[in-house]
């Protein structure tokens, strides 16, 4: 099996690489693939190792995932790109921005980033681990977990897509990815050294990465822009795709002012 992760791509122009959370694969960014392609970008949404048809990494860990993503970036043959990371994908985007700063133009962090403390991490992991503990199918896990994590104004079609994307995840891969949430160890001082513009975007009703946690995270890292979308939870890009896409396109179009 090839070590190169699988991905979906559409459009041509500046490359935007989208990195999903533990809760789903490339489908977690399905609306954005079309929006970005229509706006003149080359949209790329990967399947993290162990997800979709991407070969798993052994031993499984954030470092191995990062190296596989760097392999994909090499295969895309781009000098520069923007990164959009959701949840665990936000941690990965930060790690990539530190490791290959010469290639990263913009970093949008969606509903994620390093947990402030053990309590914040547990709030993220515990509901998902509890859902897995009942030894049910991922279809049932998704149908129970997603409604608990969305906002009151979530688009019904987006909620169904979030459930479908989660249902496609293999149970073993899901459990391994959940453990990776605790592996990110970059300090605020290190993250402040990222030269590319960064936008931290979250849902006002997110229970996994609450707005007050994202506010505190942004306050600790110099240069991070902060934006909240009202009425949505942990999947802003699916629950409110129009608002999310507008923020994304505005961020990508802004001049690259280094901080």
């Amino acid at each position: 099996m090839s070590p190169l992760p699988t991905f979906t791509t559409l459009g041509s122009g500046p490359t935007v690489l989208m990195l999903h959370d533990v809760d789903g694969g490339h489908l977690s960014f399905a609306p954005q693939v079309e929006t970005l392609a229509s706006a003149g970008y080359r949209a790329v949404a990967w399947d993290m190792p162990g997800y979709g048809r991407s070969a798993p990494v052994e031993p499984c860990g954030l470092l191995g995932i990062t190296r596989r993503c760097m392999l994909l970036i090499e295969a895309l043959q781009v000098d520069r790109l923007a990164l959009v990371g959701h949840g665990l994908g936000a941690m990965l985007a930060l790690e990539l921005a530190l490791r290959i700063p010469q290639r990263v133009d913009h970093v949008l962090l969606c509903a994620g980033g390093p947990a402030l403390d053990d309590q914040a991490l547990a709030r993220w992991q515990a509901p998902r681990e509890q859902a897995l503990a009942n030894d049910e199918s991922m279809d049932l896990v998704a149908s129970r977990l997603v409604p608990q994590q969305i906002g009151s104004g979530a688009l019904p079609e987006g909620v169904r897509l979030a459930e479908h994307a989660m249902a496609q995840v293999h149970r073993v891969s899901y459990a391994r990815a959940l453990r990776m949430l605790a592996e990110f160890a970059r300090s605020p001082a290190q993250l402040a050294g990222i030269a590319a513009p960064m936008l931290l975007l979250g849902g006002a009703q997110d229970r996994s990465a609450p707005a007050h946690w994202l506010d505190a995270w942004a306050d600790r890292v110099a240069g991070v822009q902060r934006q909240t979308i009202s009425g949505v939870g942990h999947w802003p890009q699916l629950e409110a795709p129009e608002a999310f896409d507008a923020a994304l396109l505005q961020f990508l179009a802004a001049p690259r002012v280094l901080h």
Side-chain angles (χ1 to χ4, degrees), residues 24-70:
H26 71 273
L27 289 176
S28 299
F29 284 108
Q32 287 67 49
V33 169
E34 294 191 10
T35 296
L36 287 166
S38 297
Y41 292 91
R42 178 194 188 192
V44 181
W46 88 329
D47 280 315
M48 184 169 66
Y51 283 62
R53 296 185 178 180
S54 293
V57 172
E58 298 295 348
C60 184
L62 188 60
L63 178 58
I65 298 295
T66 302
R67 288 173 173 166
R68 287 287 177 87
C69 195
M70 292 169 66

Side-chain angles (χ1 to χ4, degrees), residues 159-240:
V159 175
R160 288 194 291 270
L161 183 52
E163 291 183 0
H164 176 68
M166 183 182 288
Q168 307 307 306
V169 181
H170 194 281
R171 289 178 55 85
V172 172
S173 296
Y174 192 58
R176 288 180 170 184
L178 286 174
R179 291 195 291 269
M180 279 192 281
L181 291 172
E183 293 183 20
F184 190 82
R186 297 290 192 171
S187 69
Q190 288 176 305
L191 298 177
I194 295 175
M198 289 191 289
L199 172 62
L200 181 56
L201 182 61
Q205 298 176 11
D206 192 341
R207 297 170 182 81
S208 298
H212 67 82
W213 169 50
L214 296 182
D215 289 340
W217 189 93
D219 288 342
R220 295 186 184 188
V221 181
V224 177
Q225 303 172 52
R226 177 76 176 92
Q227 189 169 340
T228 300
I229 299 178
S230 62
V232 301
H234 192 59
W235 290 270
Q237 78 278 26
L238 297 180
E239 297 178 55

Side-chain angles (χ1 to χ4, degrees), residues 28-203:
S28 299
F29 284 108
Q32 287 67 49
V33 169
E34 294 191 10
T35 296
L36 287 166
S38 297
Y41 292 91
R42 178 194 188 192
V44 181
W46 88 329
D47 280 315
M48 184 169 66
Y51 283 62
R53 296 185 178 180
S54 293
V57 172
E58 298 295 348
C60 184
L62 188 60
L63 178 58
I65 298 295
T66 302
R67 288 173 173 166
R68 287 287 177 87
C69 195
M70 292 169 66
L71 182 66
L72 173 59
I73 292 171
E74 290 291 339
L76 292 173
Q77 298 181 339
V78 290
D79 293 327
R80 308 200 64 85
L81 76 166
L83 299 172
V84 179
H86 177 220
L88 177 62
M91 298 182 188
L92 176 57
L94 290 168
E95 188 66 29
L96 289 166
L98 288 168
R99 288 177 176 270
I100 51 172
Q102 72 282 4
R103 288 193 166 181
V104 178
D105 269 332
H106 294 80
V107 181
L108 189 147
L109 311 169
C110 172
L116 293 173
D117 50 39
D118 290 343
Q119 183 178 8
L121 179 62
R123 183 185 297 112
W124 198 341
Q125 287 177 312
R128 291 161 171 79
E129 291 177 339
Q130 183 177 355
L132 276 180
N134 296 327
D135 199 30
E136 296 174 336
S137 70
M138 285 302 294
D139 284 325
L140 285 175
V141 170
S143 67
R144 294 184 180 184
L145 185 62
V146 171
Q148 297 173 8
Q149 300 290 329
I150 61 171
S152 58
L155 185 72
E157 294 87 342
V159 175
R160 288 194 291 270
L161 183 52
E163 291 183 0
H164 176 68
M166 183 182 288
Q168 307 307 306
V169 181
H170 194 281
R171 289 178 55 85
V172 172
S173 296
Y174 192 58
R176 288 180 170 184
L178 286 174
R179 291 195 291 269
M180 279 192 281
L181 291 172
E183 293 183 20
F184 190 82
R186 297 290 192 171
S187 69
Q190 288 176 305
L191 298 177
I194 295 175
M198 289 191 289
L199 172 62
L200 181 56
L201 182 61

